[in-house]
Amino acid sequence: MLCGVRTQPFQSGHGPLSPGSRAGLGAALALLAIVSAVELADGRPAHYVALMVAAPFLAAALASWRVVLGVGLLATGIGAAFALAEQTMSLVTAVNVAGIALATAIAGAVAAVRQRQSERIAELSRLASVAQQAVLRPLGPQVGTLAVAARYISSTATAEIGGDLYEAMDTPYGVRMIIGDVRGKGLDAVRLASIVLGSYRHVAYERADLRAVVTDLDRAVARNVGDEDFVTAALVEERGGTLTIVNCGHPPPLLLRRGAVIPLEPPAPAPPLGFMPVVRPRVERLEPGDRLLLFTDGLGEARRDGEFFPTADRAWRLLGHGTVADGLASLETALVEWVHGRLDDDIALVLMEYTGPRSATAAPVPSWEVGAAES
């Protein structure tokens, strides 16, 4: 789960300086060196001491408050040295040195406040990542007859949290997977995603028909959302080489077979969970080596200069070789390069490969036929 540069907490102890502190210290020392060189070249009286007041503020933009105070004390000392070098210290020079000392105190206070805020943001980011990982369990590398890999790409560099969800389980009715996208972001979206996944992890083992699973999930969503909230979802079942898909307002999965990329559109559109969807299953017969890409709409909306990422055109070249984990890594790299590292929405990706039947025994009846077989 990845995207971009993360916020780093500033070091507040006595250990090695953080990158921000080193940058702030370097910039401040460079300023002091330049002002001192100009002052020495100009001669007496001290004309440029007042410029040193910028050094602690420059350090405060990046460094910890301890570094800021150190820079301020150094600037004050250098200013005082130039002032004492005058035969007769002028009032302006004395005021300038006092101004450097006052600026040091102010810059130190500013740095302390900024440092506390940065540490708080870093802690919230860490907690958000933990919450996301608690909702989305790692998948694969093998679930039943399927090789499976998943990735979560966050659009926000400072936190990995959102409403995209996925799961894959080996149930009595075959390998079942879900991918979904909660409307909205933040903790409310994570809460609803956790409700959907919790319900799915239960009913996927209890309901023989995927349509019954959809009904149960719709009830769970309806009980926990407002009038304008919903969850798009695609549910997939592999049983005995038969692939069954039901789609509730979600982007259709892509089937990769012998160099071709086939969007598995549903037989009829259905609304998202929360709007009482009535779904019709799409059934495909799998061949060993077939791969299926499940994704959320962040992938379809990724664009640069108004041009969308050509998922279908590049899917086979990116996903059709190596392991399924290698394929998703290639897709993520190509996607991030395409958008120059700027995504508008989180993206969840699940890639599965059908490796063939478990044994030579007769294939079980897929879930969409179970009701008819039992009646």
Side-chain angles (χ1 to χ4, degrees):
M1 301 177 180
L2 102 317
C3 188
V5 180
R6 303 190 183 282
T7 302
Q8 296 292 337
F10 291 88
Q11 304 279 347
S12 58
H14 300 284
L17 294 179
S18 68
S21 290
R22 288 197 296 270
L25 177 60
L29 292 180
L31 176 63
L32 291 179
I34 292 172
V35 174
S36 299
V38 172
E39 192 69 73
L40 290 172
D42 184 67
R44 299 175 182 175
H47 290 154
Y48 306 101
V49 168
L51 296 177
M52 294 185 180
V53 74
F57 286 111
L58 183 60
L62 296 171
S64 66
W65 65 268
R66 287 187 173 86
V67 172
V68 172
L69 291 182
V71 168
L73 291 175
L74 178 61
T76 303
I78 295 175
F82 280 115
L84 293 174
E86 295 183 351
Q87 293 181 350
T88 303
M89 184 185 302
S90 66
L91 177 60
V92 173
T93 302
V95 170
N96 287 340
V97 174
I100 296 174
L102 178 61
T104 298
I106 296 174
V110 170
V113 172
R114 178 194 48 73
Q115 182 176 331
R116 284 197 297 269
Q117 291 177 339
S118 177
E119 291 171 347
R120 177 176 174 80
I121 292 173
E123 178 64 13
L124 290 175
S125 177
R126 187 187 69 82
L127 292 176
S129 179
V130 171
Q132 187 76 8
Q133 292 171 12
V135 173
L136 298 179
R137 301 184 299 195
L139 297 186
Q142 191 78 21
V143 181
T145 59
L146 305 178
V148 179
R151 295 180 83 88
Y152 190 100
I153 307 174
S154 176
S155 62
T156 306
T158 55
E160 295 181 355
I161 193 165
D164 293 18
L165 59 97
Y166 54 76
E167 181 61 285
M169 300 180 297
D170 191 4
T171 74
Y173 308 105
V175 177
R176 286 181 165 178
M177 294 182 287
I178 184 174
I179 189 162
D181 190 357
V182 176
R183 179 181 180 271
K185 294 180 179 293
L187 291 177
D188 287 340
V190 172
R191 179 186 64 85
L192 184 52
S194 67
I195 290 172
V196 173
L197 285 175
S199 299
Y200 177 76
R201 287 163 182 159
H202 173 70
V203 299
Y205 283 93
E206 301 296 326
R207 304 298 188 190
D209 194 323
L210 283 182
R211 290 168 293 189
V213 175
V214 168
T215 300
D216 288 343
L217 294 181
D218 178 68
R219 291 171 181 165
V221 171
R223 286 193 296 264
N224 291 278
V225 299
D227 294 336
E228 298 182 357
D229 296 324
F230 57 84
V231 181
T232 67
L235 285 74
V236 177
E237 176 188 284
E238 182 280 319
R239 191 175 190 190
T242 297
L243 185 72
T244 306
I245 304 172
V246 293
N247 196 315
C248 305
H250 199 77
L254 298 180
L255 176 64
L256 285 69
R257 173 179 291 169
R258 299 193 299 273
V261 179
I262 307 167
L264 299 183
E265 299 281 355
L273 298 174
F275 292 130
M276 296 183 292
V278 177
V279 295
R280 291 178 56 191
R282 172 163 182 165
V283 181
E284 298 284 338
R285 189 66 186 173
L286 291 175
E287 301 175 3
D290 282 354
R291 291 189 173 186
L292 187 73
L293 176 65
L294 310 175
F295 58 93
T296 54
D297 59 5
L299 179 61
E301 295 172 358
R303 58 186 179 270
R304 67 178 183 194
D305 302 327
E307 185 178 0
F308 291 96
F309 180 74
T311 303
D313 294 339
R314 302 181 64 180
W316 177 258
R317 293 196 301 273
L318 295 171
L319 301 171
H321 307 281
T323 66
V324 287
D326 294 337
L328 287 187
S330 298
L331 176 59
E332 181 180 344
T333 300
L335 176 65
V336 172
E337 289 179 353
W338 177 272
V339 300
H340 303 301
R342 300 179 61 182
L343 290 169
D344 296 328
D345 195 6
D346 295 351
I347 302 173
L349 303 170
V350 178
L351 182 64
M352 53 144 277
E353 178 179 353
Y354 177 62
T355 57
R358 301 187 189 189
S359 66
T361 58
V365 179
S367 70
W368 61 281
E369 292 181 346
V370 166
E374 292 177 349
S375 59

